[in-house]
Amino acid sequence: MHMDQYFVDCNDAYVWIYEPIPIYYWFFGTLVVLGAIGVCLFPLWPSTIRQGVYYISVAAAVFLVLILALAIIRLIVFCLLWVPTLGRCHLWLLPNLTADVGFFASFWPLYQYEYYGPVSEGDKKVNKKKKRKEKDSDTEETSSTQLEEKSDTTKESLKEHTQIEEISPTEEKKLSSFELVEGEEGSEGSESEKSNTDRDFVML
């Protein structure tokens, strides 16, 4: 692409990039302009609407003040526990209040407590038992999954090697009739052979 867009006597290709502005851009732009004009005309609004907007603005301001007060209170509570315990106990009220989460998620959980002090022998034993249980559960899950995979593979191999063909009743009737016809033909052939041998004997 070149900033100097002009034609030259040569065999090159020229392309114009046309990106039209979407319709919703115009729609929202007009709404913003009309909203700004409406805010500027606030003294001309009806008294009831002005009172409603006033109450809404006061409620929003109170909500912001409460959020700031909660942030200060949680910091004070954290310091009151952190200083006497020399940084071992960490207690946060509304830990997600200043986190980058949704509106309802910022007020849950109500508190979060963590202990960073030295671990006693009983706690160490409990932690070891928990780790062993987790390892055992993981090994059992892996073994069960492996057994399931093996059983699936064996089932598939058995299905491939032992395919049993089911014969419908009509096919059974056909097979029985075919065997009967063959049996009749065989009996007729034996009788004709016997008659031929008898004739040969009589001729002799």
Side-chain angles (χ1 to χ4, degrees), residues 109-126:
L110 297 176
Y111 68 93
Q112 182 180 1
Y113 176 74
E114 293 177 355
Y115 180 73
Y116 293 98
V119 182
S120 63
E121 293 180 357
D123 294 333
K124 286 181 180 178
K125 290 180 181 179
V126 171

Side-chain angles (χ1 to χ4, degrees), residues 87-99:
R88 293 178 182 178
C89 296
H90 291 190
L91 177 63
W92 285 105
L93 299 174
L94 300 174
N96 293 327
L97 185 65
T98 57

